[in-house]
Amino acid sequence: MTGPQPAEQWARIPAASADAGRVVTCDLTFGVDKPADIAFQLAVARSGRIHAERLDVATNGTPLARPVELSGPHGGRLHLLRAPRGILTVSYRAELVHPETEQPEGRAVPAGDLLTMEQLIFLRPSRYCPSDHVVGLAVAEFGALPPGRPRVEAVVDWIYHRVAYVVGSSAVHDSAEDTLLTGQGVCRDFAHLGITLCRALEVPARFAAVYAPGLDPMDFHAVFEAWIDGGWRTYDATRKVPRSSLVRIATGRDAADAAFADVLRGIATLHSLEVTATVTGNLPVDDPTADVHLY
Amino acid sequence: MTGPQPAEQWARIPAASADAGRVVTCDLTFGVDKPADIAFQLAVARSGRIHAERLDVATNGTPLARPVELSGPHGGRLHLLRAPRGILTVSYRAELVHPETEQPEGRAVPAGDLLTMEQLIFLRPSRYCPSDHVVGLAVAEFGALPPGRPRVEAVVDWIYHRVAYVVGSSAVHDSAEDTLLTGQGVCRDFAHLGITLCRALEVPARFAAVYAPGLDPMDFHAVFEAWIDGGWRTYDATRKVPRSSLVRIATGRDAADAAFADVLRGIATLHSLEVTATVTGNLPVDDPTADVHLY
Amino acid sequence: MTGPQPAEQWARIPAASADAGRVVTCDLTFGVDKPADIAFQLAVARSGRIHAERLDVATNGTPLARPVELSGPHGGRLHLLRAPRGILTVSYRAELVHPETEQPEGRAVPAGDLLTMEQLIFLRPSRYCPSDHVVGLAVAEFGALPPGRPRVEAVVDWIYHRVAYVVGSSAVHDSAEDTLLTGQGVCRDFAHLGITLCRALEVPARFAAVYAPGLDPMDFHAVFEAWIDGGWRTYDATRKVPRSSLVRIATGRDAADAAFADVLRGIATLHSLEVTATVTGNLPVDDPTADVHLY
Amino acid sequence: MTGPQPAEQWARIPAASADAGRVVTCDLTFGVDKPADIAFQLAVARSGRIHAERLDVATNGTPLARPVELSGPHGGRLHLLRAPRGILTVSYRAELVHPETEQPEGRAVPAGDLLTMEQLIFLRPSRYCPSDHVVGLAVAEFGALPPGRPRVEAVVDWIYHRVAYVVGSSAVHDSAEDTLLTGQGVCRDFAHLGITLCRALEVPARFAAVYAPGLDPMDFHAVFEAWIDGGWRTYDATRKVPRSSLVRIATGRDAADAAFADVLRGIATLHSLEVTATVTGNLPVDDPTADVHLY
């Protein structure tokens, strides 16, 4: 647990430089009816190239003490806030420098070696990714393909062609099984299904909440990462945005690890949510066959 | 509700004639710890060509009054028994004449017409066949085929090739979704999955519990019927026995309608179950493409 | 299957007499994008005391041929319509005479006797009422009470106090298990949970779709019936309306048997639905302890 | 990832001293049909007071290279083994010194403070503990009690009195919802249900696989830990063994994190499993109201 961050870190944000690659913002309003502890995951992960950022929280317009920042896996940061009654506003803005050279992690690890504990964990079934229950279907559908990358790419393609992106089609309790059977879902469902099928095929896979420049309508987005040839590759079965512009927020087993706001105690209701994510210049075009590493 | 049947009906069974096509038997033993009402569905349906049959029930070797017989759908018969404490034995035997000419029902109804209430009912989701929840997958997998027969045959083929018949692989609470996802099951699971996919594709489908000459290991068996071109066609995605030798017991929405023994009150535990089903001469060879009508 | 009804039956409806007890109406609009077969269950069951009724169907304002009427269980009527492309309007209105004397069915049947086939069917688990899966919880919660009525009344009370009526809280695929676990639902969920717990306690229970004078906001409503002391008693765990004013539409195992509109073929989308149900004079006050028989 | 351990660590185990508190052993046999990577979690966690231990692995009687040891959370150790075809035997034995003074961790943390990342993680729903789906039931049942300890103790009591310990009653895919609804399960199910209800009540809870002296029949055992008043307290809703004698193996969100053997690649089938866990002298008697800290 990291203690409160120095005020300066948040207090000033330089004027956006012309070459700042990406800018993301997030504005939330809550009605807090009973003093509440809320865990936020909306700040860009430390693994991103943060040029400047700012987080403001206020109740009825009066600034609150800075939230406590906890370190999550893969550079993720979680902000814990104790909010009094009233209208809570949370405003986050970050500017990121475009990465210049892509150096995927873990290249040195020869493929096929024994897995690390981290990779083992991402082989296990989780709340919304019950991979243990779909091994039969996964093997029947993809087992004839060579292990690893070919199966993952076939999984992404399969989801893209068979699952319809329908806003409002899934419920918060739904798992990847619902998505698989009903053939409908939103971004988190696409990610869950990809993770579930990968794990059932013995490929470690994890969930990533991201800012997604180009997403329409704009909102938080979710993708998944699969462990292939000694590195984590990013996949998005919705194919709605270029993967190379994504900005990582939180990483975990599934959406249970990456909620943008989690009310731990008390009563707080989300009134509004506005997300933006922009990139300087034109959005890149995504090449579905390219390897993309998410910082 | 039909009243008790005349004693003569059960009391004697002629010596099996040389040309009696099929003989089926079923012997059950229960330990009854608390006086129990039990509903049995093990007698051959009236639609079968029953040459002779006999049902004996006894507690600790002493014959009980004949069970009350209730009429179920499609000739099915349910026997209600009030059993005192003790060891309950139920013994059933029937001989059936081979049908000479096959005259599938409903041929006169032109395909494509409006459905009857019965067919409508078998379009609806049921306990173990939640067809409403798998429409997406069913349409993605089979929606490109012409409606009706081609889809049903593709469904049966798909199940046959993708689901493994594994004794003990499924639990009594499992639905067709479990079968679909885990890729394992026994005969009732194969039938449930076939029914579920058919209904999701707008083909009425129903469950049939049967005696199945040739089944190995011998046991009660289950198949399904789909409404195609104005008639009910019999399908068995396990392809373990010739369909033309099957003998119908009970018919319904799914296994919930066709339990061979259902303890309604009291406490009774099944101790043993033995089923036989034989046919005079050689078993026919099943032609998977042939239409089979189950009497 | 009953054939088309004579035109006169629908063509005229007398001016509402002053003492007509209840009036119910239902107006639906569909966008039909591809010629569709639709099954409607919105007409009052024949067991109700129908004084007059009228059903009008039209596409783009042009009247269609009268739908085919099929007879369902317990007086239910299902109307099958073949709708061409266009805007389909369905308008139903019925006036009912108040019953004068209540004569619950089946009084003559001594309690405790063996069940009929109908009652047996309503002991079985169904799509949204998986009673076989909740026996443990049901017995732990209610098993100490005497069988029959006391358990049913405790079930209704338990649901009323523990489940919150929250519009939009449940999805169309949800079963009574979801309602039990999440503690939220709408009328059909309350009915499903009541049915499920009753069946798990060996009390036959069935679903009834009804018009419900006094419901706020007005909509179709759902209640359940339990077989107690030789008769079907009506229960409504929402306690939102007086049970004695309810008007039965369809009856079945659960909501799968009672959809007000079911698109069997083609593509049709519900655009609007308006229901009214009124009673002459004041609404009666419901006595939760009173037996109510639903006609 | 910790590298291979020095040979001496495993090679010799001193003669059991008279005062060695607990001895645990585990012997497994697998048939390996295709070279397999297997992850074992059967060694005592480092947080235990290990006096001596030994792990032997062999194929067809020929010793294999020592498995790679990975460090898991809370002192857990996972052993990765690459097994060739043949009969694989895995034999583990550890002797533990009885703890002399119990010093529960985290006492210094004042109750009610903000949670750490670790505790946050154990508030989240997981594969077999879908706490997000049972909040309604949990609050209806336990919400009237004061938060924290009283609720946890009521949860344990409730499970103990309502769920029957029935060997073979649950399937490997079952979640705490199945246990809650069917009212049956084995130790892992009891732990999952406790964890699920705690999390739904906003109490962090985690799963612990343990050796359990006194368990009858002897096997691996599972309990859960809840975060109360600044420390992890151990609970066992089966109440089958004294908690103070338990020996921690693995810790995690649920059983998905604590499998004693997980075949990651290849084909290996468990042929036999034998576990022992003994304590010098008499087993202590468990005081259900006492706080127990699991090392």
Side-chain angles (χ1 to χ4, degrees), chain A residues 10 40-45 53 77 79 92 211 248-250:
Chain A
W10 303 103
F40 292 100
Q41 292 185 98
L42 40 71
V44 169
E53 71 173 351
R77 292 179 293 156
H79 293 95
Y92 176 75
Y211 286 101
R248 184 194 301 273
I249 303 169

Side-chain angles (χ1 to χ4, degrees), chain D residues 100-129:
Chain D
E100 301 199 6
T101 53
E102 301 267 344
Q103 289 184 318
E105 59 181 90
R107 272 292 188 205
V109 181
D113 243 30
L114 288 174
L115 299 170
T116 65
M117 180 60 85
E118 190 209 28
Q119 294 144 25
L120 281 174
I121 283 174
F122 291 122
L123 272 180
R124 295 174 183 161
S126 60
R127 171 64 179 94
Y128 305 112
C129 301

Side-chain angles (χ1 to χ4, degrees), chain D residues 41-118:
Chain D
Q41 291 186 98
L42 40 71
V44 168
R46 291 228 173 277
S47 50
R49 284 160 174 72
I50 304 172
H51 173 61
E53 69 174 353
R54 178 174 185 126
L55 175 66
D56 292 298
V57 290
T59 291
N60 298 335
T62 304
L64 298 177
R66 264 167 297 110
V68 172
E69 179 173 302
L70 305 182
S71 293
H74 315 291
R77 292 178 294 156
L78 183 149
H79 293 94
L80 267 183
L81 184 68
R82 186 154 283 176
R85 285 186 49 141
I87 299 297
L88 171 68
T89 50
V90 177
S91 181
Y92 175 75
R93 175 186 171 90
E95 301 183 9
L96 291 94
V97 180
H98 252 317
E100 301 199 6
T101 53
E102 301 267 344
Q103 289 184 318
E105 59 181 90
R107 272 292 188 205
V109 181
D113 243 30
L114 288 174
L115 299 170
T116 65
M117 180 60 85
E118 190 209 28

